[in-house]
Amino acid sequence: MCDSENPIITQCFDRTELTGKKRPETAVTQFKNSLLKLMEILMSKEPSYVRCIKPNHAKQAGNFDEVLIRHQVKYLGLMENLRVRRAGFAYRRKYEVFLQRYKSLCPETWPTWNGKPQEGVSALLKHLGFKQEEYKLGRTKIFIRFPKTLFATEEALEVRKQSLATKIQAAWRGFYRRKKYLQMKHSAVTIQAWWRGTLGRRKAAKKKWAVEIIRRFIKGFIYRNCSRCPENEYFLDYIRYSFLMNLKRNLPKTVLDKSWPVPPPSLREASQLLRGLCMQNMVWSYCKRISPEWKAQLEQKVVASEIFKGKKDNYPQSVPRLFLNTRLGNEEINAKILQVLGNEALKYAVPVIKYDRRGYKARARQLLLTQNAAVLVEEAKVKQQIDYSNLTGISVSSLSDNLFVLHVLHQDNKQKGDVVLQSDFVIETLTKIAVSANKVNSVNINQGSIKFTVGQGKEGIIDFTSGSELLIAKAKNGHLAVVAPRLNSR
């Protein structure tokens, strides 16, 4: 359409509209723009005033009624206007009207002028900076020569109106805000007074309540050892409640925890009953959760405690260690030995060192505990079998050494005498032997020395002394000397 040869179509479809992305102007926008352009043109021109005169009453062309025309010219003021225009002054106003309209433009005349209107107009014109040729002052009126001077004055008046409106708005807003602030202040003071009164009444009531409570406590403390009465019932109830709440927060967590809050004198009997119930409940809960393996472990630990606690130096070191079912696996025990034992169940096995009865020479052995006997084994050979019925006692020192002696019945011809053994797990081993042979009360803990039967009525002696390190050797007097470090754990 832009390339059409028809000039009308080409004018309607301008090529510049193809590149521009703005929306085309609407009819309203075009009208607005045209009106703005017209106003610019009018403001750039000087206005001229036209008076229309009626020539005759018959509205006939070329007929002038002189009387009618003079009458119109006289009463329309055209002669005075002509004389003024001839002098060059197009605008005239009385001093009072001019001053009333434009007095806000001068600080001297605003807001009121107390002098003569003519003097006020002169001060106003001087402040506005009017030149002498732009105006003239008559007896009752002011005359302005150029319209642009009047327009400039009107523009200044419009600006002044905006300033005055702003000041009036500011004054009104200030007045309104001050009034609202005073109302809010009065409301705040009222609320504060009410709230302070409420707080004061609450505080007074709280003090009164506190006085009553303190008075009841003092009376209850005075009569605390008497039987329950109105004077001490509140105090006793509070003591009971405090003790029970403290007990709730500090109940023992485990069976081994022996802590218990100290009860007041009036609740000692109840405290003892509660403590027994609490311990009974913890024991019942613990026993309910315990497994058979752990139960057996605890039973053995209890036996070890009965035998060795406070009597042997290295017992405390064995407490945190668990007792194992065996210290030797089936692959470490010779198959021939297992065949010899047959159907007899192996309850415990541990590596030990056996000391000969004569020269006290150390020899590696294995100690096997069965249902009915303790068997001493050297590789694939059974060296000695001690029936539990022939086991008369077990002796061990109070020091930290690992030696112990198994005493056997002398009338048994199969036995060669008592057995001297050393085990790295002496507490565990002796506990297992005592439980298996039912010889818990036959374990003797000696200080100084242990006597044992060598055979054929002869006796051997093991002397125990304290030293810095463990040492086992045959002494010159023929005894077995054992030096063990003192752990100072008892």
Side-chain angles (χ1 to χ4, degrees):
M1 300 298 286
C2 297
D3 298 334
S4 177
E5 296 180 357
N6 191 327
I8 298 177
I9 296 177
T10 305
Q11 187 177 2
C12 291
F13 297 93
D14 192 1
R15 184 175 293 278
T16 57
E17 295 180 358
L18 295 176
T19 58
K21 295 183 179 180
K22 290 182 61 177
R23 291 180 57 188
E25 294 182 352
T26 62
V28 176
T29 306
Q30 293 177 1
F31 176 78
K32 180 181 177 182
N33 295 336
S34 299
L35 187 60
L36 291 176
K37 290 179 182 179
L38 178 61
M39 291 301 297
E40 290 178 0
I41 294 172
L42 292 176
M43 294 302 293
S44 64
K45 305 298 180 181
E46 291 187 5
S48 298
Y49 301 96
V50 179
R51 298 286 186 176
C52 295
I53 297 174
K54 190 176 181 180
N56 55 67
H57 291 294
K59 300 180 182 180
Q60 295 177 356
N63 184 9
F64 292 93
D65 187 349
E66 185 177 351
V67 177
L68 179 61
I69 292 174
R70 284 183 179 181
H71 183 269
Q72 293 182 64
V73 169
K74 180 180 179 181
Y75 286 96
L76 287 174
L78 292 180
M79 298 305 293
E80 291 83 359
N81 193 7
L82 287 174
R83 285 194 295 270
V84 171
R85 293 293 294 176
R86 189 182 301 164
F89 298 95
Y91 177 82
R92 59 186 183 279
R93 280 289 186 273
K94 289 185 177 182
Y95 291 132
E96 293 82 357
V97 177
F98 186 84
L99 182 62
Q100 182 65 28
R101 180 171 179 81
Y102 300 109
K103 66 179 180 179
S104 61
L105 298 178
C106 178
E108 297 180 17
T109 60
W110 179 257
T112 57
W113 174 258
N114 298 323
K116 295 181 180 180
Q118 185 176 0
E119 296 176 358
V121 172
S122 299
L124 176 61
L125 295 177
K126 185 178 179 180
H127 178 75
L128 293 176
F130 280 16
K131 296 179 181 180
Q132 191 65 34
E133 63 273 12
E134 292 181 351
Y135 69 93
K136 290 294 181 180
L137 298 177
R139 286 182 298 176
T140 60
K141 295 182 181 180
I142 178 174
F143 300 90
I144 297 177
R145 182 185 299 273
F146 304 113
K148 63 180 182 181
T149 304
L150 183 62
F151 293 157
T153 307
E154 286 292 334
E155 290 178 359
L157 180 61
E158 290 298 326
V159 175
R160 181 60 176 169
K161 285 181 179 179
Q162 294 293 333
S163 176
L164 292 176
T166 302
K167 289 184 178 179
I168 293 172
Q169 287 177 352
W172 167 250
R173 288 173 180 171
F175 168 76
Y176 176 74
R177 292 298 177 184
R178 282 191 295 273
K179 183 178 179 181
K180 190 173 183 180
Y181 166 75
L182 292 176
Q183 292 177 351
M184 293 175 65
K185 182 178 179 182
H186 175 71
S187 301
V189 171
T190 304
I191 294 172
Q192 288 176 353
W194 174 82
W195 177 244
R196 287 170 182 167
T198 301
L199 290 180
R201 287 187 292 272
R202 288 182 183 177
K203 193 173 182 180
K206 191 173 182 180
K207 287 183 178 180
K208 183 178 180 181
W209 173 80
V211 169
E212 292 294 331
I213 294 297
I214 294 172
R215 186 177 299 162
R216 294 170 71 179
F217 261 90
I218 293 175
K219 285 185 178 181
F221 181 78
I222 295 174
Y223 294 99
R224 67 186 182 278
N225 295 324
C226 300
S227 58
R228 188 178 182 87
C229 59
E231 285 76 14
N232 64 3
E233 60 179 358
Y234 185 83
F235 180 80
L236 295 179
D237 291 342
Y238 179 78
I239 292 297
R240 182 183 299 109
Y241 174 78
S242 300
F243 172 71
L244 293 177
M245 294 304 295
N246 184 34
L247 180 61
K248 177 184 176 182
R249 292 189 294 267
N250 299 285
L251 280 174
K253 304 299 181 183
T254 62
V255 179
L256 300 178
D257 187 2
K258 302 300 181 182
S259 62
W260 190 263
V262 179
S266 59
L267 295 175
R268 286 174 183 170
E269 183 178 357
S271 176
Q272 291 296 331
L273 294 175
L274 290 173
R275 188 170 187 176
L277 290 174
C278 179
M279 184 61 65
Q280 183 179 355
N281 181 63
M282 286 192 298
V283 170
W284 178 81
S285 300
Y286 183 80
C287 294
K288 187 177 180 181
R289 296 193 306 268
I290 196 170
S291 61
E293 295 79 8
W294 187 247
K295 183 178 180 180
Q297 180 75 216
L298 292 179
E299 289 176 349
Q300 295 177 16
K301 286 289 185 178
V302 170
V303 172
S305 175
E306 293 176 356
I307 298 175
F308 300 106
K309 185 177 181 180
K311 300 177 183 178
K312 189 163 178 61
D313 284 354
N314 55 354
Y315 168 71
Q317 283 71 31
S318 69
V319 172
R321 301 175 191 165
L322 294 178
F323 289 172
L324 301 183
N325 293 329
T326 181
R327 292 288 177 176
L328 293 173
N330 290 333
E331 65 278 0
E332 298 179 82
I333 303 174
N334 195 285
K336 294 182 178 179
I337 298 299
L338 296 176
Q339 291 178 359
V340 171
L341 295 177
N343 297 329
E344 214 170 345
L346 186 61
K347 299 177 65 176
Y348 181 72
V350 62
V352 296
I353 296 176
K354 177 182 177 297
Y355 290 91
D356 290 345
R357 297 175 180 81
R358 291 181 175 82
Y360 300 116
K361 186 176 180 179
R363 302 181 185 277
R365 296 287 188 269
Q366 292 178 346
L367 179 62
L368 309 180
L369 300 182
T370 64
Q371 191 71 26
N372 301 312
V375 182
L376 201 60
V377 176
E378 180 185 6
E379 294 181 357
K381 183 178 180 181
V382 176
K383 299 297 292 183
Q384 189 173 356
Q385 181 172 339
I386 305 172
D387 294 336
Y388 294 146
S389 58
N390 295 327
L391 184 63
T392 59
I394 304 171
S395 296
V396 65
S397 74
S398 61
L399 300 180
S400 61
D401 61 281
N402 298 325
L403 265 74
F404 62 94
V405 178
L406 299 180
H407 301 281
V408 298
L409 190 64
H410 303 315
Q411 285 78 11
D412 189 359
N413 296 326
K414 296 181 181 180
Q415 304 297 334
K416 303 176 181 178
D418 297 340
V419 183
V420 181
L421 301 174
Q422 180 184 2
S423 173
D424 293 335
F425 312 97
V426 62
I427 303 296
E428 176 183 321
T429 302
L430 293 180
T431 303
K432 297 280 188 180
I433 296 173
V435 172
S436 299
N438 196 17
K439 301 289 183 178
V440 175
N441 297 325
S442 300
V443 179
N444 302 311
I445 300 176
N446 301 279
Q447 295 181 357
S449 62
I450 296 177
K451 293 182 180 181
F452 64 96
T453 302
V454 176
Q456 298 178 356
K458 297 181 180 180
E459 287 187 347
I461 299 175
I462 304 175
D463 295 326
F464 296 92
T465 56
S466 300
S468 59
E469 59 181 8
L470 181 63
L471 181 63
I472 302 175
K474 183 178 180 181
K476 293 181 179 180
N477 57 3
H479 298 176
L480 180 61
V482 179
V483 179
R486 169 84 54 183
L487 300 180
N488 295 326
S489 57
R490 285 185 287 167

